[in-house]
Amino acid sequence: MARIGFVGLGNMGGPMARNLVKAGHRVAVFDIVPALAARCVEAGAIAAASAAEAARGAEMVFTMLPAGQHARAAWLGEGGMAAASAADAVLVDCSTIDVTTAREVAAGCGRPFLDAPVSGGVMGAEAATLTFMVGGPADAFAQVEPVLKQMGRAAIHCGDAGAGQAAKACNNMILAATMIVTCEAFVLAEKLGLSHQALFEVASKSSGQSWSLTTYCPVPGPVPGSPANRDYVPGFSAALMLKDLGLAAEAAAASGAATPMGAKALELYRRFVESGGAGKDFSGIIAMLRAGTS
Ligand code: NAD
């Protein structure tokens, strides 16, 4: 049993904190929306009056916040969690944020700090099947790894501060580009009179195979569990994909990497989000691509 602080109890953080309670830890929780903290308290967590209060006395402190500015303010701002935490506490930010902010917060905390963004979405958070990609000191990672595995099925130490966020940005850039081209292939098949099922049967056993095709197929039928079968209810929303592509583009610009395909994916997801697709699953971009064909 560990003493844990958990701040940011939204779609992801709420179920993650509740899984830590279920695993037998003493979890002090805080969110600026009191109803979200109340749901965790009902599940056995302890209500903290502030983020700093949640951090105080904890051996490990987690955040799951929207973006970099929230993480920076929560950890380093006035009444911040870093200063309130014990000198030997391990601090873990699971939010998806930019690499630069992750490195700056890690440097400013004065405590062992890990960036540990996740993949697996809300379903993964609820089922404790997330994958954590982690940057920061190896000994701090070793300390929290068993606890991460109570919220997920894999935790990968990727390197120094910022490496977790770097891995997340690279992975989601691959995901966006493969999803778009998989959608394009199904639209092309429709034009050529090739059935969805036939394309799926061939590509899933050939070199066109990918997670976007075989786990998350963007047309209804071949993979019954994919969002295409429920009118593209997320899953992983196009708005969040656009956010992650923005982080990848920012990292590419800052590091001088050429990512023309990532930039194109960003442009297409921006168009999809701006034309009403924000709340759809990211595989729903197939409708925009289909509409764009003559
Ligand atoms: P969310 O908006 O549902 O949750 C964020 C929570 O943080 C909210 O409840 C908000 O009230 C709280 N918050 C904001 N500022 C705060 C502060 N100063 N103190 C305390 N609480 C504060 O978002 P989410 O979907 O849970 O996503 C969280 C992070 O996880 C994001 O960085 C997102 O990119 C990433 N992520 C989300 C998914 C997904 O499918 N939702 C998947 C992978 C990664």
Side-chain angles (χ1 to χ4, degrees):
M1 196 273 286
R3 278 171 285 117
I4 294 175
F6 207 115
V7 172
L9 306 167
N11 293 322
M12 297 293 291
M16 289 167 73
R18 288 191 286 276
N19 280 331
L20 292 179
V21 171
K22 228 182 274 172
H25 300 294
R26 180 191 187 279
V27 187
V29 293
F30 178 75
D31 193 291
I32 49 175
V33 178
L36 295 174
R39 280 196 61 196
C40 293
V41 170
E42 271 165 35
I46 295 151
S50 65
E53 189 59 41
R56 203 160 285 127
E59 293 153 72
M60 299 168 198
V61 188
F62 291 88
T63 45
M64 192 47 157
L65 299 166
Q69 74 266 26
H70 306 98
R72 186 194 296 278
W75 288 110
L76 303 180
E78 208 178 310
M81 300 166 64
S85 64
D88 58 352
V90 179
L91 313 183
V92 189
D93 179 32
C94 297
S95 329
T96 302
I97 70 170
D98 60 285
V99 175
T100 306
T101 301
R103 289 185 175 145
E104 287 172 4
V105 173
C109 264
R111 309 273 188 279
F113 184 91
L114 300 169
D115 52 292
V118 302
S119 91
V122 177
M123 276 162 62
E126 278 164 1
T129 56
L130 295 169
T131 295
F132 290 86
M133 24 212 136
V134 187
D139 50 349
F141 173 71
Q143 233 174 301
V144 301
E145 189 182 7
V147 173
L148 296 179
K149 288 198 173 150
Q150 290 169 330
M151 296 184 282
R153 67 174 147 221
I156 300 149
H157 188 229
C158 300
D160 294 338
Q165 299 296 349
K168 170 89 182 172
C170 292
N171 179 73
N172 280 20
M173 188 173 75
I174 297 171
L175 174 62
T178 54
M179 178 54 80
I180 290 168
V181 81
T182 302
C183 291
E184 288 179 359
F186 277 108
V187 171
L188 176 59
E190 289 164 7
K191 289 282 177 193
L192 298 176
L194 174 66
S195 74
H196 290 163
Q197 191 62 33
L199 173 59
F200 179 83
E201 293 295 330
V202 171
S204 62
K205 294 176 185 63
S206 307
S207 41
Q209 192 274 334
S210 72
W211 186 92
S212 292
L213 179 72
T214 55
T215 302
Y216 222 75
C217 187
V219 294
V223 177
S226 78
N229 297 280
R230 43 173 209 272
D231 197 24
Y232 301 97
V233 171
F236 185 57
S237 74
L240 280 175
M241 178 52 91
L242 179 61
K243 172 195 168 186
D244 291 357
L245 286 168
L247 295 175
E250 212 176 305
S255 63
T259 55
M261 195 67 86
K264 190 69 193 174
L266 171 67
E267 180 195 319
L268 289 169
Y269 272 104
R270 182 176 292 134
R271 238 169 64 203
F272 182 47
V273 163
E274 285 172 357
S275 62
K280 289 274 182 197
D281 186 78
F282 81 108
S283 60
I285 198 168
I286 192 169
M288 184 183 91
L289 297 167
R290 193 182 278 124
T293 59
S294 56

